[in-house]
Amino acid sequence: MLAVPLLAMAATSYITGRLIKKNFPLMKILIVSGLLLMTGALIPLMFLDQLIILVSLLALNGVGTGLALPCINSFITGSVDKSKRGMITSLYGSVRFGGVALGPPIFGWLMTMESWILFGSNVVLVVIAIVWTLWAIQVKNKGGKGDGSQIEEENQTSFTWKRLALSKNE
């Protein structure tokens, strides 16, 4: 059962990673779209318990994760100077593996409760991530028309983290 959502996430991550390059406006759109897709897949899971629906919606959740994850990785590694990138990458990896270690016991505990608590808590976290993404990641146009409507070259885009210690030096 876990292989289907994992395959959906891995395949989507691979395709997304190949497409994004340094297109920061596209990355922000894909992060928000992926998180919205995750929310849309998790909400019905709070009320349904049929196995085929569960696996299908978890696969859809995997697609959403696959859309967001490569973009988040690119934003994090691109948010610091090259001299600090190794440290940030290792810190980011440590945090992710901390989640991998803590996730199963937490989800195991949540599975002893009602399904709306298990999936509802995830919906709340994903909605917080959507709001944070919309607020914190600012994509700007360095050239072109000046109105931000079209990015002519990928070298003309950049991003900043709003009110965060990690900021791109320009």
Side-chain angles (χ1 to χ4, degrees):
M1 280 191 341
L2 293 176
V4 175
L6 187 59
L7 177 63
M9 182 189 75
T12 307
S13 290
Y14 176 76
I15 293 166
T16 302
R18 302 275 299 169
L19 293 176
I20 57 174
K21 310 266 188 252
K22 291 185 179 184
N23 189 339
F24 296 120
L26 177 62
M27 284 189 235
K28 183 174 180 177
I29 290 168
L30 289 176
I31 291 171
V32 173
S33 299
L35 293 171
L36 286 171
L37 190 59
M38 291 168 65
T39 303
L42 289 169
I43 289 173
L45 289 173
M46 294 190 308
F47 310 107
L48 304 171
D49 61 356
Q50 295 172 324
L51 183 61
I52 190 72
I53 294 174
L54 174 73
V55 173
S56 299
L57 289 173
L58 287 176
L60 194 59
N61 186 58
V63 169
T65 304
L67 287 173
L69 201 55
C71 301
I72 293 168
N73 292 342
S74 293
F75 270 127
I76 288 174
T77 57
S79 67
V80 294
D81 295 330
K82 288 183 181 181
S83 63
K84 298 176 185 170
R85 194 164 292 161
M87 179 188 69
I88 294 301
T89 303
S90 72
L91 179 63
Y92 173 61
S94 298
V95 170
R96 280 189 59 193
F97 282 114
V100 169
L102 293 175
I106 291 171
F107 274 78
W109 173 66
L110 287 172
M111 287 178 68
T112 64
M113 301 176 192
E114 299 291 325
S115 63
W116 68 268
I117 295 172
L118 169 66
F119 296 114
S121 60
N122 282 283
V123 168
V124 169
L125 292 174
V126 174
V127 168
I128 290 169
I130 292 169
V131 171
W132 184 82
T133 299
L134 291 171
W135 174 78
I137 300 174
Q138 302 296 314
V139 180
K140 57 187 173 180
N141 188 1
K142 289 185 177 179
K145 294 181 179 180
D147 62 0
S149 63
Q150 180 181 8
I151 306 302
E152 293 174 5
E153 295 178 25
E154 62 185 31
N155 291 338
Q156 293 179 326
T157 61
S158 67
F159 72 95
T160 56
W161 295 104
K162 189 174 183 181
R163 297 184 186 172
L164 291 176
L166 299 176
S167 64
K168 185 171 178 124
N169 295 330
E170 299 179 327

